Every structure is written in C-alpha cells, then in structure tokens.
C-alpha cells in the first residue's frame, strides 16, 4: 500500500511539474535565466540620461553601460520591452548590429572583449513605455495629474522588470555598483530619483534636468523616476552609523498632512536599526516620495501613496486593532531597505526573502513600541489573509514568483521560528547578522536557510521545506484524558517534528510531535496550544 501511494504521489508530482513547465515560454527563460550572453560580463556602472515628456507620454535618451569582462565573448544581451525601441547601440563610437528576440536584444560587439577589462556601450532608445494598469502590481509608467492639473508621473516595475521603461541587464543576480540617473522634465516640475541630488540644470526650452547619483549597489526594479509639483522637507536622524539625511518630497497641497504622517519615518528607522542593524544606504540618504499609486520599495527613494492614513489605506489587515497604530506603507516599504534592497534575491522564485521578512517587520515595529503581546496578536491576525493556493517558492530561471502567501505565511513562519529559538536577543542577532553578512549581496533561499540553521544550531531543513515548498500546514492532533496527552502531526512532510509549546492549566510545556502517536503524562485538565506557532489544531 505504501509503495502504491508513493508511486501515485511521484506520478502526480511529475504531471504537475510538466504542467508548470509547459506554461513557461522562451521569453520567460530569456528574462529569468542567466543566459550565456549575460554570464560573461559584470555590471559596474549605469548612466541613464533621459528626457521624459509627460504631454506626449514618451521617454527618450540613452543608457551608458560600463561592465567588466569576466571571460571573452562577442555578444551581449540588453533588455528593453516594447513599445520602446532601441534606436542604436555604440561602442567606441562604432554602431553595432542588433538582433532582437522579443524583449531581449543581442548585440554583436566589434572590439576585443579582453578578460578583466572595463568596457562601455551606449544604448539609445525612445518611445511610449507601457502605461501602468494597476500600479505597483501591474506596473509601468503611471501618467497622472494632481488636483491642480499638473503632471504627476511615476515608475513601478517589480516583477514586470525595469526594462519596461529603460534598457538594462534585467536580471536580479547582477546589481550595478553605482548609478547616475539624469532626468529632463518640464521646468515647473521636479524629478526625484534614487540617491543624492548632484545638480539641477536649467535650459532655455523651459525644461530642467535633475542629476541623481547612487553610491551603492542597486537592483534594477529599485531604480525609479517620480515627477511632480513637489515640495521638500526633511530631518537629520542620529543613527547607528552617524547622521542620516531623511528627506521627504510630497505634492504641494499635502505638505501639512505629510509633516504629521511622516513622523512614522524616524520611528521606523529607530525600530528597524534595532532589529536589523544600521540602515544600509547612509551614503545615499533615505527618502519618502509621494506617488500616484500605493507605494514601492525603491532603494533610498521609497514611494508613498497611502493617502496619509494609518493602516493599509485605513484598513487593519490583521483585524487586531494593532494595524491602525502605524502607516502601513511607510513601515512595510521602508522595511524593504533591509530585505530587498540590502539583501536581494538572485531569482524571482525566492521573492519570499523580500516579502516574508518585510511583512514580518511590521510585527517587529509593533514589538519595539507596543510589546510582544501586541506584535503577536498582529502577526497571528494576518493569517486570515493566507490562501495556501501554491507553494511560496516559485519556479527557477523563468522569472516566476511563488504564491502571494510569501507575505503573511512567510511572516508567520518567521514568527514561529522565533518561538523555537526562545531567546529574543539571539533572534535579533540573527536578523542583524543576516544584514551584516549578506550586506549589499544577492542571495538564494538556500543561503538564508543554511545561515539561520547554523546560527540557531537547529537543523531547519524540514521546517523550511514544510512552509516554503508545500501548501500543507501541520495539523496537531491530540486527545487529553486522565492526565495523559496523546498527540501527533498530520499534513506534514517526512521527518517533520517541530517542537510546539502547549499550556496545561496555563502552565507552559513543550512537546515534539511527529507523524506517530506519542503519549505523555501531565498534571492538569485544560490544554491550550500556543497560537504563536503556525499550526492547525484538531482535538
């Protein structure tokens, strides 16, 4: 019977695998894998120099790409999505041949590409970029107007890819070391991008160019443009690495509301430096920038559109009451500065590293200011948002995200892990250690799993497999009679035996269930399973 079951399970897994495999296209592979035309060169610098015309909804200009040659090759892949078009590519002022395959453009180089040399190409492009349908989830460029009729424009492109609005090496594994972004806009508007403002040039044609420089590695989707009738205010924050400039850019009519609402920003910084370590981009400052959509974690240029309300557009996603104690977008999107921008996934399949830890950061913000009980009530309350429709981890090498459960299933997995460790200072040291040891790096799930297992001294292989790679939630079955507790887990993978805390007559005890019924004697009558553990209970 066991052999028949395993065979059926194997065949089912194979058929599911084929079904998943068949839905991916050649374009998915060109976007999501480290192709031979990407692997041979390492990004060092971008200068994105563009003109944005809000009246015509167009972008034109060039991206100068500097790279280090890792091994000799003569074809380079650059990504740009239609309807934008590459007009020409130059290297040393020589025009190069371009062969396009959908969003991927393969450029044949004429100059010798000697190993360890630094090379550059200029990619000229223009057109009307894809307009965002439902930013930031279905992104592109949002072409809006403010209440005074002035243009209000912003980019958002996670998942979709930065190549929706500018030509680049559009894969997460290779972050550019530094970036200059120069954006020309109408004279009555401002452009706010990542990093620090170097210069503003005025031109006789009633336009201005804003030059922003990013001194740290940055992922492609983290680069942004935000154009509007902005006003600025800011403050100096005394942080773990010294004085941090915190700057805020909001629409003119919203200045007073922003001065009140953005008080959550230094509170966020204080809590997250406590839990995660120093803000990772002191050199580039920290900004909140108002945009015409909900918000996004663009590095050092976090975008905000929560309508100056606490919660998620005024809602408490946990229904615990605690979600209305903070502005969701300020806390969540800024939390990504540590998990997404400092520690970045190599492959979209591992996006939980961004979203699980950052959803969990909401809980830690509450913990810092309101205590463990409040934070636990919040994170446990978010379980009602979990669908368990598919595993958290997606398919690799095809730009495929896993389930949206990466947010609150991920957060509850981490909250459960904190219970297993018990020592809060040790847990904090692990979170800070992750940000220190993987500082400004792209990582895999395996690296994160191995790091936490080693730091805790616990083999967490089955723990992560259960919560990240299946849709099963462990069910703790038990019966309690005459001082004897019988218990086991169901809906688990092989060898899953996570300890769990129970209360008998309100006194805490630990048990370690597995797939086999076990019996343990206790004194007492009333049993309760600790709700901080993400398990289902059946008595």
């Amino acid at each position: 019977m066991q052999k028949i079951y395993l065979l059926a399970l194997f065949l089912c897994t194979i058929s599911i695998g084929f079904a998943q495999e068949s839905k991916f296209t050649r374009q998915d592979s060109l976007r999501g894998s480290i192709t031979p035309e990407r692997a041979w060169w390492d990004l060092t610098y971008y200068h994105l120099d563009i003109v944005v015309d809000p009246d015509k909804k167009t972008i034109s200009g060039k991206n100068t790409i500097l790279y280090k040659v890792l091994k000799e090759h003569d074809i380079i892949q650059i990504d740009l999505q239609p309807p934008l078009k590459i007009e020409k590519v130059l290297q040393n002022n020589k025009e190069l041949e371009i062969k396009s395959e959908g969003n991927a453009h393969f450029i044949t180089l004429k100059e010798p590409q000697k190993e360890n040399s630094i090379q550059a190409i200029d990619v000229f492009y223009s057109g009307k970029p894809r307009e965002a349908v439902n930013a930031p989830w279905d992104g592109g460029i949002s072409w809006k107007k403010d209440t005074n009729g002035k243009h209000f424009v912003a980019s958002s492109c996670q998942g979709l890819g930065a190549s929706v609005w500018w030509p680049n090496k559009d894969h997460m594994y290779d972050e550019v070391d530094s970036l200059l972004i120069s954006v020309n806009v109408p004279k009555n508007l401002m452009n706010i991008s990542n990093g620090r403002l170097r210069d503003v040039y005025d031109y006789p044609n009633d336009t201005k160019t804003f030059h922003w420089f990013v001194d740290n590695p940055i992922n492609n989707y983290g680069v942004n443009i935000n154009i509007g009738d902005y006003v600025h205010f800011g403050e100096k924050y005394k942080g773990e690495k010294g004085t941090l400039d915190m700057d805020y850019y909001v629409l003119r009519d919203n200045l007073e509301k922003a001065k009140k609402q953005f008080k959550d920003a230094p509170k966020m910084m204080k809590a997250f430096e406590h839990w995660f370590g120093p803000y990772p981009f002191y050199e580039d400052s920290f900004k909140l920038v108002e945009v015409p959509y909900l918000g996004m974690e663009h590095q050092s240029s976090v975008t905000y559109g929560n309508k100056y309300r606490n919660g998620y557009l005024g809602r408490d996603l946990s229904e615990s009451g605690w979600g209305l104690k903070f502005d969701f977008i300020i806390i969540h999107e800024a939390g990504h500065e540590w998990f997404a921008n400092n520690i970045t996934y190599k492959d979209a399949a591992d996006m939980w590293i961004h979203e699980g830890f950052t959803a969990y950061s909401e809980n830690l913000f509450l913990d810092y200011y309101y205590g463990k009980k409040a934070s636990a009530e919040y994170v446990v309350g978010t379980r009602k948002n979990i669908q368990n429709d598919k595993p958290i981890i997606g398919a690799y090498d095809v730009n495929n995200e896993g389930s949206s459960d990466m947010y609150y299933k991920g957060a509850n997995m981490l909250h459960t892990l904190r219970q297993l460790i018990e020592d809060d200072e040790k847990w904090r040291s692990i979170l800070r250690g992750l940000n220190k040891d993987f500082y400004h790096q792209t990582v895999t799930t395996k690296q994160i799993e191995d790091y936490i297992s080693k730091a805790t001294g616990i083999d967490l292989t089955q723990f992560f497999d259960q919560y990240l790679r299946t849709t099963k939630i462990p069910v703790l079955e038990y019966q309690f009679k005459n001082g004897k507790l019988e218990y086991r887990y169901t809906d688990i993978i092989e060898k899953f035996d996570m300890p769990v805390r129970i209360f008998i007559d309100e006194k805490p005890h630990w048990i370690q269930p597995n797939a086999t019924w076990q019996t343990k004697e206790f004194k007492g009558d009333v049993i309760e399973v600790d709700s901080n553990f993400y398990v289902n209970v059946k008595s």
Side-chain angles (χ1 to χ4, degrees):
M1 190 71 180
Q2 181 71 5
K3 288 182 180 179
I4 294 172
Y5 169 76
L6 289 174
L7 177 61
L9 181 63
F10 174 74
L11 292 174
C12 179
T13 303
I14 290 292
S15 62
I16 290 171
F18 282 145
Q20 288 179 337
E21 211 173 291
S22 65
K23 74 180 180 180
F24 298 118
T25 66
R26 163 85 171 154
Q27 279 299 304
D28 293 325
S29 295
L30 289 175
R31 170 80 168 85
S33 63
I34 303 172
T35 62
E37 294 77 21
R38 283 173 169 158
W40 66 271
W41 56 287
D42 176 53
L43 270 171
T44 61
Y45 178 76
Y46 285 133
H47 179 197
L48 180 59
D49 188 3
I50 59 175
V51 175
V52 179
D53 188 331
D55 288 327
K56 296 179 181 178
K57 297 184 177 180
T58 61
I59 296 178
S60 61
K62 69 172 180 175
N63 188 18
T64 299
I65 303 171
L66 272 65
Y67 59 92
K68 181 180 180 180
V69 178
L70 302 178
K71 62 179 180 179
E72 293 186 19
H73 206 286
D74 62 349
I75 298 177
I76 190 169
Q77 178 182 338
I78 300 297
D79 305 288
L80 184 67
Q81 298 180 32
L84 291 172
K85 292 182 178 179
I86 294 180
E87 295 169 350
K88 62 182 177 181
V89 179
L90 302 180
Q91 186 165 61
N92 296 332
N93 293 318
K94 296 176 183 177
E95 191 162 347
L96 305 176
E97 180 187 358
I98 306 166
K99 290 184 179 179
S100 298
E101 188 177 343
N103 302 337
H105 308 275
F106 299 97
I107 298 150
T108 300
L109 304 167
K110 297 178 180 179
E111 301 288 332
Q113 305 294 303
K114 294 183 179 179
E115 191 172 326
N116 293 323
S117 66
I118 301 296
Q119 305 283 345
I121 57 172
D122 295 309
V123 182
F124 293 81
Y125 77 111
S126 64
K128 289 187 175 182
R130 180 186 193 274
E131 190 163 350
V133 177
N134 183 28
W137 304 279
D138 194 355
I141 302 294
S142 299
W143 306 98
K144 305 292 184 181
K145 290 193 175 180
D146 65 19
T147 54
N148 297 317
K150 292 189 175 182
H151 289 291
F152 192 23
V153 180
S155 62
S156 58
C157 55
Q158 186 180 19
L160 180 63
S163 56
V164 75
W165 67 275
W166 61 288
N168 62 84
K169 187 180 192 177
D170 205 357
H171 193 287
M172 298 292 286
Y173 88 100
D174 188 7
E175 293 189 344
V176 70
D177 298 334
S178 60
L179 164 79
L180 176 62
I181 177 168
S182 304
V183 184
N184 179 267
V185 297
K187 201 167 192 173
N188 64 339
L189 303 173
M190 296 175 68
N191 172 70
I192 313 302
S193 290
N194 316 79
R196 292 186 183 271
L197 185 62
R198 274 191 168 177
D199 289 297
V200 181
Y201 293 161
D202 285 283
Y203 296 98
N205 64 349
D206 289 331
T207 66
K208 285 183 176 180
T209 297
F210 293 79
H211 299 273
W212 294 87
F213 182 73
V214 180
D215 197 40
N216 287 288
I218 184 169
N219 62 58
N220 290 327
Y221 85 83
V223 178
N224 68 348
I225 54 172
N226 306 289
I227 300 165
D229 182 24
Y230 288 118
V231 291
H232 166 261
F233 68 103
E235 59 190 306
K236 305 285 187 182
Y237 178 79
K238 301 294 184 183
E240 289 195 15
K241 285 180 67 176
T243 301
L244 173 64
D245 292 318
M246 300 185 69
D247 294 295
Y248 313 118
Y249 292 88
V250 299
L251 292 182
R252 190 170 301 277
D253 290 352
N254 294 333
L255 179 60
E256 294 309 313
K257 286 189 288 187
K259 285 182 176 179
K260 178 181 177 182
Q261 192 72 5
F262 286 7
K263 288 179 181 177
D264 263 3
K267 288 180 65 179
M268 169 280 301
M269 195 62 68
K270 186 175 183 181
F272 289 167
E273 285 209 330
H274 169 82
W275 283 108
F276 302 143
Y279 172 68
F281 309 106
Y282 270 72
E283 300 85 353
D284 292 323
S285 78
F286 173 86
K287 293 186 292 297
L288 280 178
V289 187
E290 186 173 0
V291 289
Y293 62 87
L294 186 61
M296 195 73 208
E297 69 259 25
H298 304 105
Q299 183 174 309
S300 72
S301 182
V302 173
T303 49
Y304 175 87
N306 203 38
K307 301 186 184 301
Y308 301 98
R309 301 165 73 180
N310 276 6
Y312 181 99
L313 293 171
R315 290 175 51 223
D316 175 5
L317 295 179
S318 74
E319 296 181 5
S320 68
W322 294 110
L324 297 178
K325 295 292 186 181
F326 60 92
D327 187 308
F328 177 92
I329 290 299
I330 294 176
I331 304 310
H332 180 90
E333 302 305 344
H336 277 305
E337 294 282 42
W338 286 265
F339 291 97
N341 298 336
N342 185 37
I343 303 173
T344 307
Y345 62 71
K346 272 190 169 76
D347 191 293
D350 290 335
M351 192 183 286
W352 80 272
I353 297 169
H354 293 199
E355 303 300 351
F357 278 97
T358 305
Y360 181 64
S361 76
E362 302 158 24
N363 164 50
L364 293 179
F365 176 84
L366 286 167
D367 189 298
Y368 189 83
Y369 288 104
Y370 300 98
K372 287 180 72 171
K373 184 175 183 293
S375 66
E377 288 174 0
Y378 176 82
V379 72
V380 170
T382 63
R383 289 178 190 169
K384 62 178 62 66
N385 302 310
I386 299 171
Q387 302 297 313
N388 277 314
D389 55 342
K390 58 182 180 179
I392 286 176
I393 291 179
Y396 289 94
D397 297 322
V398 286
N399 194 43
N400 176 249
E401 302 169 11
S403 169
S404 61
D405 285 346
M406 68 179 79
Y407 290 82
Y408 290 119
K409 186 177 179 181
N412 274 279
M413 178 188 75
L414 293 170
H415 183 64
T416 300
L417 183 53
R418 180 183 182 180
Q419 314 311 310
L420 297 177
I421 295 170
E422 292 192 89
D423 183 341
D424 285 346
E425 278 306 303
K426 185 174 183 179
W427 180 230
R428 184 167 81 102
S429 73
I430 291 170
L431 297 173
R432 290 174 67 95
L434 284 166
N435 279 280
K436 180 182 177 184
D437 291 1
F438 295 116
Y439 183 73
H440 291 177
Q441 292 182 36
T442 59
V443 300
T444 65
T445 287
K446 186 177 188 310
Q447 285 177 283
I448 299 299
E449 291 181 26
D450 289 350
Y451 183 95
I452 297 175
S453 286
K454 183 177 180 181
T456 58
I458 305 170
D459 182 355
L460 295 166
T461 303
Q462 281 73 37
F463 176 86
F464 285 119
D465 283 348
Q466 177 81 31
Y467 287 106
L468 293 177
R469 297 177 177 89
T470 79
T471 57
K472 297 177 180 179
I473 302 306
V475 177
L476 175 59
E477 293 187 352
Y478 74 89
Q479 50 190 7
F480 191 60
K481 188 171 17 175
N482 299 325
K484 289 187 177 181
L485 178 68
E486 293 185 353
Y487 54 90
R488 70 171 181 179
Y489 278 135
T490 59
D491 285 349
I492 56 171
I493 63 171
E494 188 178 358
K495 297 183 180 179
F496 183 87
D497 63 349
M498 179 183 74
V500 64
R501 187 165 47 233
I502 61 173
F503 298 95
I504 297 179
D505 289 348
E506 300 184 351
K507 293 180 180 179
H509 300 272
W510 284 89
I511 56 174
Q512 189 166 6
N514 54 34
T516 305
W517 282 106
Q518 300 178 57
T519 302
K520 197 169 185 178
E521 291 191 10
F522 290 102
K523 292 181 180 179
D525 298 300
V526 181
I527 181 173
E528 180 185 356
V529 178
D530 191 339
S531 62
N532 289 302
F533 290 77
Y534 185 33
V535 297
N536 293 325
V537 178
K538 182 179 178 182
S539 61

